[in-house]
Amino acid sequence: MTWSRRTFLTSLSCTSLVLSLDDVLALAVPASTQQATPQVGSRPTYDAKPRPAPKGAPSPVAGTPLGISFIDVARQSGLNAKTIYGGEHKNRYLLETTGCGVAFFDYDHDDWVDIFLVNGSRLEGFAKDQEPVSHLFKNNRDGTFTDVTAKAGLARSGWGQGCCVGDYNNDGWNDLFISYYGQNVLYRNNGDGTFTDVTAKAGLLQSKTRWNSGCAFLDYDRDGNLDLFVANYIDFDIKTAPLPEAAGCAYKGIQVACGPPGLQGGKNILYHNNGDGTFTDVSQKSGMWDTIGTYALSVSVADLDNDGWPDIYVANDSTAATFYQNQKDGTFKDVAIEAGIAYSPDGKPQAGMGVSIGDFNRDGLLDIVKTNFAGDTDSLYLNLGNGNFDDHTYLSGLGVNTRFLGWGVGFFDMDNDGWLDILMSNGHVYPEVEGTNVDAPYAQHKYLYRNLRNGQFEEVTALAGPGITTPAPARGTAFGDYDNDGDLDVVVNCINSLPQLLRCDPSPDAGPARNWIKIRTIGTKSNRTGIGSRISVTTQPSPDAKPFVQIDEVRSGGSYFSQNDLRLHFGLDHATKADVEIRWPSGTVDKIPALAPNHLYVIQEGGKILKTVAMGPQQTSSKG
């Protein structure tokens, strides 16, 4: 057996050796990297060095034309609402830096995804009726959107953070949850284009001011009702928070907002759905507070250990990440250190921002990608099975970039070849760096990595069009096919700027069009949205080729403070049929063979296809 810090820690559970928490941390983190409790200050600087891309087995796609291009069509599409968040040139407090999330959210269930953009505020406030509000844009089905915020009843101001979607009351309409610095809001979808604020009625009022961050609906106890996880960043009070000039907070010699090191971290919250439209806070008794990680930002939910129960992974800023493993009895245990997904490869805590989950190497196990602070690499964790992971950042080729600061992130199949690629949205956290020449600029271009099908990725940023290469102060990022043409588009919420809508178009070097399939789930025994369902798609590109399998799960929340399209999209390459299997949270397994490509299938628990829609550049049919 090959011994590492993780395998040694895992072995302790099989012995009678008892160690203190300090002892365990000493084993998990090399002595050379251990630090004293930090004083109040800004984030530490990182010194990870970019490494050349690894050389491995030859790839059939490396260096070939990309075949697609991303174009920012936000303005022409009608996404004209600027997101306001903190000072544009100088920030006094950390609160002004985090920005907001975004959702691809089909609120009217017409199978054309709409867009919800969370908005923020400024310290000096606004005149009455001039406050910025979040915005809901209805998809007009012609490439444009209409702002329906006021009509929908969603015009609310405040320091908005994240958003997530799910049908919490199982009435057939997906509801919307928005996290805030301050009081969160739960909006019940009335099914007629309007929403009702049911926060108080649902039991979600908070007794103190919290800095709520990422969120996700999940059915952690598999009772058919969606529960709610809300990450928390810092116990922040603007009346007592240190100012940069008083505390001497600096980043590379530039005076910047203080924190998070030295500030009191927030405690994550788990709400249990009582099945009657109300929730109960079960955070403490469920084990949410028994972790070493804090400063929580983004959250993603998935069955990471393949035991049929949803787990929770949290990207934490400037400290260890958290892996809440579901104990199947209403409790969770943080096993991030033992699993190998708490720290960097050399045992250092990282400033995690965004997180996405997907099976990038098609081995039937869900892997993790996490964005981190400037000067550090992003992280790619390869799932080894049995709840164990290896840091694959350098081996995969993602370690070549260390300059930019990542936020929203997603595994997505950009070219429908059946292999998950990666997009990262970047932007500096400190506007004070702009024009100083001491660091990367505030607005930054994105990173796009193509899956080489051999465990490695090739950075193809420069080939991917102006939507990728144009700098932007990005934060929340969501993935979905807003124009129903069969490829995945991207919406980005930027800070103190208009949003981006990155439409994926075939480029002149594109070869024959590849096929795809979309699945929307409707639970009966399981929660109505089907969140937590695992979908397997098996295809055979040619009669003499080996069948290959892709997996994904329907999930709420993820990326950075954002919500992806709840319809799962699978690229099929040139396969002409797909066998689909759905494992529902209830335990029901449905198998639907030989589905035709280039369609959306709405599938009800029990295996009934409720609706079939042919999609593509020309929508041709709909039946159900």
Side-chain angles (χ1 to χ4, degrees):
M1 178 178 182
T2 301
W3 287 90
S4 65
R5 288 190 303 276
R6 188 183 71 246
T7 53
F8 179 67
L9 285 163
T10 303
S11 74
L12 296 181
S13 62
C14 303
T15 73
S16 59
L17 179 62
V18 177
L19 300 179
S20 69
L21 178 59
D22 288 341
D23 291 331
V24 172
L25 291 178
L27 290 168
V29 186
S32 62
T33 67
Q34 294 177 35
Q35 301 175 2
T37 301
Q39 301 298 312
V40 174
S42 57
R43 293 176 183 82
T45 56
Y46 297 86
D47 59 358
K49 304 299 182 185
R51 300 188 186 183
K55 297 185 183 299
S59 164
V61 296
T64 63
L66 197 58
I68 58 169
S69 181
F70 289 92
I71 311 297
D72 184 4
V73 296
R75 311 302 178 268
Q76 66 198 64
S77 298
L79 298 185
N80 54 9
K82 181 178 179 179
T83 295
I84 303 298
Y85 207 92
E88 296 200 32
H89 305 292
K90 181 175 176 58
N91 293 161
R92 302 177 70 198
Y93 299 104
L94 199 62
L95 177 62
E96 302 177 79
T97 66
T98 54
C100 307
V102 59
F104 271 130
F105 171 30
D106 182 13
Y107 78 97
D108 51 3
H109 288 202
D110 64 353
D111 281 306
W112 290 79
V113 286
D114 312 293
I115 293 175
F116 181 78
L117 288 153
V118 182
N119 215 328
S121 189
R122 288 193 175 132
L123 295 176
E124 60 269 27
F126 294 84
K128 183 175 175 55
D129 298 326
Q130 299 298 312
E131 303 93 341
V133 298
S134 299
H135 289 269
L136 177 65
F137 287 92
K138 177 178 171 56
N139 193 326
N140 298 324
R141 311 185 191 184
D142 61 1
T144 68
F145 293 81
T146 298
D147 191 333
V148 295
T149 308
K151 179 181 177 182
L154 296 175
R156 180 186 175 94
S157 62
W159 290 96
Q161 300 291 285
C163 58
C164 52
V165 172
D167 184 359
Y168 82 94
N169 57 353
N170 286 332
D171 67 351
W173 295 92
N174 284 324
D175 310 296
L176 175 65
F177 180 84
I178 309 169
S179 63
Y180 280 86
Y181 168 69
Q183 177 59 54
N184 300 322
V185 182
L186 174 63
Y187 285 107
R188 185 187 66 213
N189 190 333
N190 298 320
D192 59 1
T194 68
F195 293 79
T196 299
D197 181 347
V198 294
T199 310
K201 183 178 180 180
L204 296 176
L205 292 179
Q206 296 177 326
S207 60
K208 69 172 188 175
T209 298
R210 289 182 178 272
W211 191 336
N212 305 281
S213 50
C215 63
F217 286 102
L218 73 160
D219 185 5
Y220 75 86
D221 53 0
R222 293 174 32 180
D223 65 352
N225 298 306
L226 286 176
D227 312 298
L228 178 63
F229 177 87
V230 185
N232 266 243
Y233 190 35
I234 291 169
D235 282 345
F236 180 84
D237 185 346
I238 201 167
K239 297 177 181 177
T240 59
L243 288 169
E245 55 270 25
C249 299
Y251 172 79
K252 295 188 176 181
I254 304 170
Q255 192 176 83
V256 297
C258 298
L263 302 179
Q264 181 64 44
K267 291 185 179 295
N268 299 328
I269 306 172
L270 181 65
Y271 294 104
H272 177 260
N273 191 326
N274 300 320
D276 59 1
T278 67
F279 293 83
T280 298
D281 187 337
V282 295
S283 308
Q284 188 165 11
K285 74 176 185 179
S286 66
M288 289 293 121
W289 296 353
D290 299 330
T291 69
I292 63 168
T294 185
Y295 305 146
L297 286 173
S298 300
V299 54
S300 195
V301 177
D303 180 11
L304 290 169
D305 53 7
N306 275 2
D307 65 355
W309 294 76
D311 309 299
I312 305 170
Y313 184 76
V314 184
N316 296 323
D317 189 356
S318 303
T319 186
T322 302
F323 174 24
Y324 291 111
Q325 187 179 56
N326 196 322
Q327 302 299 297
K328 311 175 193 177
D329 59 1
T331 67
F332 291 81
K333 181 181 179 183
D334 179 14
V335 296
I337 294 177
E338 300 94 320
I341 49 179
Y343 298 108
S344 70
D346 52 358
K348 294 181 180 179
Q350 296 175 291
M353 303 294 176
V355 60
S356 182
I357 292 174
D359 180 15
F360 80 88
N361 60 344
R362 293 201 326 215
D363 65 353
L365 302 169
L366 292 171
D367 312 299
I368 301 171
V369 62
K370 177 168 66 78
T371 54
N372 295 312
F373 200 78
D376 194 4
T377 66
D378 298 302
S379 300
L380 182 66
Y381 297 110
L382 177 68
N383 194 330
L384 303 176
N386 298 317
N388 294 318
F389 294 77
D390 262 355
D391 193 308
H392 211 63
T393 304
Y394 289 109
L395 291 175
S396 69
L398 264 62
V400 299
N401 289 313
T402 63
R403 185 167 180 245
F404 286 172
L405 195 160
W407 299 90
V409 59
F411 281 118
F412 78 125
D413 186 357
M414 65 178 173
D415 50 8
N416 284 333
D417 68 348
W419 295 84
L420 293 178
D421 310 294
I422 298 173
L423 174 70
M424 298 173 177
S425 291
N426 301 311
H428 214 291
V429 72
Y430 303 126
E432 293 86 353
V433 303
E434 190 65 32
T436 63
N437 297 319
V438 302
D439 204 9
Y442 188 62
Q444 300 175 355
H445 67 68
K446 294 166 181 57
Y447 289 145
L448 184 63
Y449 297 96
R450 173 166 57 182
N451 194 323
L452 295 181
R453 312 179 191 177
N454 60 359
Q456 298 173 1
F457 290 85
E458 172 188 22
E459 191 195 341
V460 291
T461 302
L463 307 177
I468 303 298
T469 58
T470 300
R475 295 296 189 266
T477 304
F479 299 79
D481 183 5
Y482 83 90
D483 51 3
N484 280 349
D485 67 349
D487 51 42
L488 289 174
D489 312 297
V490 185
V491 61
V492 183
N493 202 346
C494 299
I495 195 166
N496 289 316
S497 181
L498 292 169
Q500 295 179 299
L501 180 60
L502 310 183
R503 188 183 67 203
C504 182
D505 293 338
S507 56
D509 57 12
R514 293 186 173 115
N515 296 326
W516 51 269
I517 195 172
K518 292 187 197 296
I519 307 292
R520 178 160 68 86
T521 53
I522 298 181
T524 54
K525 297 178 183 178
S526 303
N527 68 86
R528 191 67 177 265
T529 313
I531 288 170
S533 300
R534 176 170 291 195
I535 299 179
S536 302
V537 174
T538 302
T539 54
Q540 191 166 1
S542 62
D544 58 343
K546 180 181 179 182
F548 66 78
V549 181
Q550 301 175 66
I551 67 166
D552 202 357
E553 292 182 359
V554 182
R555 61 178 61 90
S556 171
S559 185
Y560 177 78
F561 290 5
S562 295
Q563 173 70 58
N564 297 330
D565 186 353
L566 285 165
R567 306 174 303 177
L568 292 191
H569 178 104
F570 297 88
L572 304 181
D573 203 356
H574 297 296
T576 57
K577 63 179 181 179
D579 298 331
V580 172
E581 178 182 284
I582 305 177
R583 293 183 176 270
W584 300 84
S586 67
T588 298
V589 178
D590 292 326
K591 297 183 179 182
I592 306 100
L595 292 180
N598 307 328
H599 288 73
L600 163 71
Y601 295 93
V602 181
I603 303 178
Q604 185 180 71
E605 188 171 8
K608 182 178 181 180
I609 299 176
L610 299 182
K611 182 179 179 182
T612 302
V613 183
M615 294 181 173
Q618 299 293 327
Q619 282 73 42
T620 57
S621 67
S622 177
K623 60 184 179 180

